[in-house]
Amino acid sequence: MKASQGLEVEKKYDVGEEAGVPDLSGLPGVARVGDPHEALLEAVYFDTADHALAARRITLRRRTGGADAGWHLKLPPAIADAAAVAAAPGDAPQVRQELHAPLGQPDVVPDSLLAYLQVHLRGAEVAPVARLATRRITHILYAADGLHLADLADDRVTAGKLPGDGADQQWREWEFELVHGSADLFGPAGELLAAAGAAPSGHASKLVRALGGKKLKSRHLDSTPVLLAGKKAPAAAVVTVYVATQLGQLVALDPAVRLEEPDAVHDMRTATRRLRSVLAAYRKLYSAVQVRRLQSELKWLAAQLGAPRDAEVMAALLQEPLAALPAGNGADTVRQRISQHTGTSFDAGYRTLLGALGSARYFRLLDDLEAFRDNPPVRTGPVAAGKKVTAKAVDKSAARLRRAHKAAAHARRGTDHHRALHQIRKDAKRLRHVAESAVPVHGKRAGKVARAAHSQQKFLSAFNDAVLARELLASLVQAADQPDTAAALAALISGQEEQMAASVAGYRKARKKSKDLLNRGVI
C-alpha cells in the first residue's frame, strides 16, 4: 500500500509552564476559535545507531492516540514560500513532506515508508531511539465561512531515550501549524505568541530535544551551496553548485524510482548524465583519481537505469503505431509479441535496477558525491576564475560538437551515418549540460546555448529511438511465421523509417538555426 502524503507547514515555540494561551480570535482572517480538545499521544521514534536520520533532518515515528495514529515519516524541511518568508523574515516556518502509513506492527517499518528512507539509511538498520508521551491541547482557528485555517497545539512532553539510558526530560512547547490558511498568519501569530511568553524553538524537532539536544553532524543532502560571489565566483564553486543540485535530484528521485513512479527512471538517469558531463568538462580542476572514479560509477548507475528506461521508451514509441494497424490476426500477433518483449525487458531491467539501488556500491557512490560536494578535491594552485573556466569549457564542448557534425557529413550512408548522428547526440547533450553549469556566471547567453544544444539533442534522440525500434521490428520479422504478421511488421518498420527521416530533417533545421550561436567564442 502506498503511503498517504501531505505537507506540514508549522513553527515551533518554547514556552514556560505558567504561560497562558493567548486569545487567537483577533488574528487576521480568524473569525472564531473552537473549543480546545485534549489528546494523549504516545510515540516511539526510530533511527540508526549513529542517528543518521536525525542528522539528515528526517523523523520516523510510530504514534498511537489522537486522530492520526500510525507511522509518520517527515522528510527534510525546506524554507516556506515567499509569502511565509515575508511574514517572518529570517525565521520562516518549516515545510516538510509528511507521509503516513497504518499502525501495522510496532517494530516493523512499513515498506511504503522504507522506500523513502533507503537512500538515507544506505544499508543501516533502524531501531527505537526515543519514546515521547505528549498531552496535547489543540486550539482550532476557523474563518468566517468555517474554513479550518490553522491549529495551535499546546504540548506538554515527557521524553526518554531508548533503550532507557538517562533520566526522562519534560518540557512544554507550542506548535502553530497551517491547515488551509495562508502563510500570512505566521507573522501576526508569532507576535501574539511572543507577547504571551513564547520564543522560537531552539531545537529542530522533538526527537533532537529528546536525544539531549546534542549537536548532530549535519549530513542532509537537500541543501545546495550558495554561490556567494555571483559572476565572480571561482570555477570550483560553480561546479560544486551544479554537482550539489544534481546530487539533490538523485536523492529526491530515489524513492520515486523504487516505487516505479512515471518518468522517475528517466529523470534519475538524466541527473547521472549531467554529473558525468560536468565532471568530464572540468576534470582538470580536481584530483584525477577521484573524478575518474566518480565518472566510472556514474556510468555504471546510468547503465542500471538504462535497461528499464529503454524498454519503457520502446513501449511508448510503438503504442500509437500498433493501435493504428488494420484489424486482423497479424496485427494482434504483433501487438502480443511486442508487448511481451517490452514487458519482459522492463521487468528484468527493473529487478536488476532495484538490486543495484540496494547495493553497497550505490550507497558508496552517494557518499562519494556528498564528499565531493562538501570537500571538493580541488588541485592546489591559483584559484581559477569561474567566468573564464566555464567559458572555455563551453567553447571546448561546442568545438567537440562541431567536429562531430563534420564527421557525420563525411560518413557513409547506413550504419556509419547512424553512429555519427549518435555521436552528435551525445556531444550536444554534453554541451547542453556544460552550458547549464555556466548559467550562474554567464546568464542568458549560456542558457541560449543550452537550449540550442538541447534542440539538436531532442531530434537526434527521436532518431535514435526510431533506429532501435526498427531493429527490434526487423528481428521479429525473421521470426514471423505468417504472411499477415510479416506484413504488419513491415508497416511498422516503414513508419519508423519515416520517423527517422523526419527526425534528421528536424535536427538539420535546428542545427542551421543555431549555427552562428554555436560557432567559435560561444560565450
Side-chain angles (χ1 to χ4, degrees), residues 150-217:
D151 291 336
L152 177 70
D154 183 2
D155 291 346
R156 285 177 167 83
V157 183
T158 299
K161 289 189 284 186
L162 295 175
D165 51 339
D168 287 352
Q169 301 179 65
Q170 293 185 333
W171 71 85
R172 184 186 181 195
E173 68 179 39
W174 288 343
E175 291 182 1
F176 189 82
E177 181 177 356
L178 289 186
V179 180
H180 300 296
S182 164
D184 293 339
L185 271 172
F186 281 109
E191 294 176 3
L192 186 64
L193 298 177
S201 177
H203 301 87
S205 66
K206 284 183 172 69
L207 174 60
V208 171
R209 189 164 185 171
L211 294 175
K214 67 178 183 178
K215 184 73 173 178
L216 296 170
K217 182 181 178 182

Side-chain angles (χ1 to χ4, degrees), residues 39-42 132-136 154-158 206:
L40 298 177
L41 312 175
E42 293 278 346
L132 273 67
T134 303
R135 183 167 71 88
R136 169 168 289 181
D154 183 2
D155 291 346
R156 285 177 167 83
V157 183
T158 299
K206 284 183 172 69

Side-chain angles (χ1 to χ4, degrees), residues 257 261 263-269 305 308-309 312 350 353:
V257 171
E261 293 184 3
D263 294 325
V265 171
H266 167 68
D267 293 342
M268 192 175 192
R269 186 164 65 160
L305 294 159
R309 177 57 183 171
E312 191 175 46
Y350 230 107
L353 172 60

Side-chain angles (χ1 to χ4, degrees), residues 398-415:
R400 184 186 182 109
L401 180 58
R402 289 194 297 271
R403 289 194 297 272
H405 287 311
K406 187 174 181 179
H410 293 90
R412 291 183 297 179
R413 286 180 173 273
T415 302

Side-chain angles (χ1 to χ4, degrees), residues 298-484:
L298 286 166
K299 184 177 181 179
W300 164 79
L301 178 58
Q304 310 309 304
L305 294 159
R309 177 57 183 171
D310 290 345
E312 191 175 46
V313 168
M314 194 61 57
L317 181 66
L318 294 175
Q319 183 177 12
E320 188 174 325
L322 284 169
L325 286 175
N329 292 336
D332 292 341
T333 300
V334 169
R335 291 190 191 100
Q336 181 182 6
R337 289 181 181 177
I338 290 177
S339 176
Q340 182 178 13
H341 174 86
T342 56
T344 300
S345 297
F346 178 84
D347 291 343
Y350 230 107
R351 285 194 299 271
T352 301
L353 172 60
L354 292 177
L357 294 185
S359 68
R361 183 175 184 178
Y362 171 62
F363 297 139
R364 187 164 56 248
L365 170 59
L366 294 176
D367 288 341
D368 290 345
L369 286 169
E370 185 178 357
F372 186 97
R373 181 201 66 187
D374 295 338
N375 298 288
V378 181
R379 289 183 175 179
T380 58
V383 176
K387 198 162 187 177
K388 181 178 179 181
V389 170
T390 53
K392 185 177 180 180
V394 173
D395 283 346
K396 189 173 181 180
S397 296
R400 184 186 182 109
L401 180 58
R402 289 194 297 271
R403 289 194 297 272
H405 287 311
K406 187 174 181 179
H410 293 90
R412 291 183 297 179
R413 286 180 173 273
T415 302
D416 287 350
H417 190 241
H418 294 170
R419 288 174 179 166
L421 291 178
H422 181 61
Q423 185 61 48
I424 293 174
R425 181 175 72 96
K426 292 196 297 183
D427 290 339
K429 189 182 302 181
R430 175 166 171 167
L431 174 58
R432 172 192 172 192
H433 298 158
V434 176
E436 286 173 349
S437 74
V439 168
V441 288
H442 289 282
K444 293 181 180 179
R445 178 73 176 182
K448 287 180 66 176
V449 171
R451 288 190 295 273
H454 182 217
S455 181
Q456 294 186 35
Q457 173 201 333
K458 178 179 64 177
F459 286 111
L460 292 178
S461 291
F463 173 82
N464 188 64
D465 292 341
V467 169
L468 294 176
R470 189 184 65 168
E471 290 176 355
L472 169 62
L473 296 168
S475 70
L476 294 176
V477 167
Q478 295 176 1
D481 50 7
Q482 296 294 330
D484 53 354

Side-chain angles (χ1 to χ4, degrees), residues 242-243 246 269-283 291-303 365 369 426 429-430 433-434:
Y242 195 82
V243 168
Q246 300 312 315
R269 186 164 65 160
T270 298
T272 65
R273 286 171 168 170
R274 283 188 161 106
L275 284 164
R276 287 177 62 202
S277 294
V278 167
L279 288 172
Y282 299 105
R283 63 187 181 279
V291 169
R292 278 198 300 268
R293 184 173 69 248
L294 282 176
Q295 286 181 294
S296 174
E297 294 305 281
L298 286 166
K299 184 177 181 179
W300 164 79
L301 178 58
L365 170 59
L369 286 169
K426 292 196 297 183
K429 189 182 302 181
R430 175 166 171 167
H433 298 158
V434 176

